[in-house]
């Protein structure tokens, strides 16, 4: 019964997506630029639409502003190549990037809950769900957390939150790492240990966490 209770509890959070590091940014300018350039794919509140090609656009909430800024600057510099994002990042200024990052990073996660897809229901988890949970706990949770809320990277790399992320987007990214279309000293070797079923399970786990956001 305790597990069932945990399934339904809404966990209140206060500091995910904090804009503290962006005190000098212009949030109104960031909102305007996000509405003009980003919202068509990612949504003005960072909640990208599901279905069709939109399913391959990542949700930006509750991502941190630091992570969004880092990615946009990598697209702008050419460190990461993408047919749409590289062009967009080069079209806007570094000030725009900071303002947009502050806007999306300042959208707080108000609460979340685990759903039945996690196998914590009355009947208990299936063997496949138990195996998937063990793999997630071993390979993903040390950086991204079991609930998709990333560990603080400190002086290390900025780690993305995966909570509530689009399933199709996560499957695509993991396959990109697995097949060397994207290369990371951390993610590439991890992805290469995963089977296609593992990738589906990981993406299902994080995408099926339901979140509530608190708008600016």
């Amino acid at each position: 019964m305790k597990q069932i209770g945990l399934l339904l509890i809404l966990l209140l959070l206060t500091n995910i997506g904090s804009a503290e590091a962006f005190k000098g940014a212009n949030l109104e300018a960031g909102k305007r630029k996000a509405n003009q350039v980003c919202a068509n794919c990612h949504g003005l509140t960072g909640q990208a639409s599901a279905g069709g090609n939109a399913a391959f656009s990542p949700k930006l909430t509750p991502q941190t502003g630091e992570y969004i800024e880092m990615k946009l600057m990598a697209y702008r510099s050419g460190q990461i190549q993408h047919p749409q994002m590289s062009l967009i990042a080069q079209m806007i200024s570094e000030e725009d990037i900071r303002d947009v990052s502050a806007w999306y990073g300042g959208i707080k996660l108000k609460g979340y809950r685990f759903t039945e897809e996690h196998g914590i229901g009355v009947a208990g988890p299936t063997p496949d769900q138990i195996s998937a949970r063990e793999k997630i706990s071993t390979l993903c949770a040390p950086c991204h957390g079991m609930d998709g809320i990333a560990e603080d990277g400190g002086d290390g790399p900025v780690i993305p939150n995966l909570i509530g992320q689009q399933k199709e987007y996560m499957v695509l990214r993991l396959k990109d790492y697995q097949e060397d279309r994207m290369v990371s000293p951390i993610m590439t070797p991890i992805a290469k240990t995963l089977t296609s079923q593992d990738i589906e399970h990981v993406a299902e786990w994080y995408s099926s966490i339901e979140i509530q956001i608190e708008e600016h």
Side-chain angles (χ1 to χ4, degrees), residues 120-142:
I120 318 175
V122 176
T126 66
D128 275 353
Q129 288 169 327
I130 291 172
S131 176
R133 192 182 304 173
E134 289 173 351
K135 189 151 285 190
I136 292 165
S137 176
T138 301
L139 296 178
C140 310

Side-chain angles (χ1 to χ4, degrees), residues 6-194:
L6 287 172
L7 174 68
L8 300 174
I9 289 175
L10 189 66
L11 302 176
L12 297 179
L13 306 173
T14 58
N15 198 36
I16 295 178
S18 171
E20 278 298 306
F22 292 87
K23 287 183 178 178
N26 186 326
L27 284 181
E28 282 304 311
K31 181 180 180 180
R32 287 195 301 271
K33 187 61 67 174
N35 197 37
Q36 293 166 359
V37 179
C38 314
N40 191 49
C41 292
H42 300 288
L44 186 57
T45 61
Q47 293 296 289
S49 300
N53 289 334
F56 298 101
S57 297
K59 293 183 179 180
L60 299 183
T61 50
Q63 212 55 265
T64 66
E66 291 87 348
Y67 179 78
I68 296 169
E69 183 180 40
M70 179 193 73
K71 295 292 283 190
L72 284 171
M73 291 301 293
Y75 286 125
R76 181 177 172 82
S77 69
Q79 181 183 353
I80 303 176
Q81 297 290 336
H82 186 275
Q84 285 84 41
M85 288 304 306
S86 296
L87 179 62
I88 289 170
Q90 289 163 10
M91 287 172 55
I92 62 178
S93 68
E94 292 187 14
E95 184 178 5
D96 290 333
I97 286 175
R98 189 160 184 79
D99 291 343
V100 165
S101 300
W103 166 255
Y104 282 119
I107 298 172
K108 295 180 176 63
L109 179 62
K110 186 167 62 175
Y112 67 90
R113 72 184 185 107
F114 290 92
T115 63
E116 290 291 340
E117 285 82 352
H118 290 81
I120 318 175
V122 176
T126 66
D128 275 353
Q129 288 169 327
I130 291 172
S131 176
R133 192 182 304 173
E134 289 173 351
K135 189 151 285 190
I136 292 165
S137 176
T138 301
L139 296 178
C140 310
C143 291
H144 300 286
M146 284 300 288
D147 54 7
I149 299 171
E151 298 294 321
D152 185 356
D155 293 330
V158 181
I159 302 169
N161 293 319
L162 299 182
I163 183 171
Q165 187 55 270
Q166 306 246 61
K167 177 181 177 180
E168 294 87 348
Y169 174 77
M170 284 187 283
V171 169
L172 179 65
R173 287 285 79 83
L174 283 169
K175 287 183 176 179
D176 281 343
Y177 287 123
Q178 193 173 63
E179 298 168 13
D180 295 320
R181 287 188 294 270
M182 293 182 69
V183 179
S184 162
I186 298 172
M187 285 304 305
T188 298
I190 289 174
K192 288 181 183 294
T193 70
L194 302 176

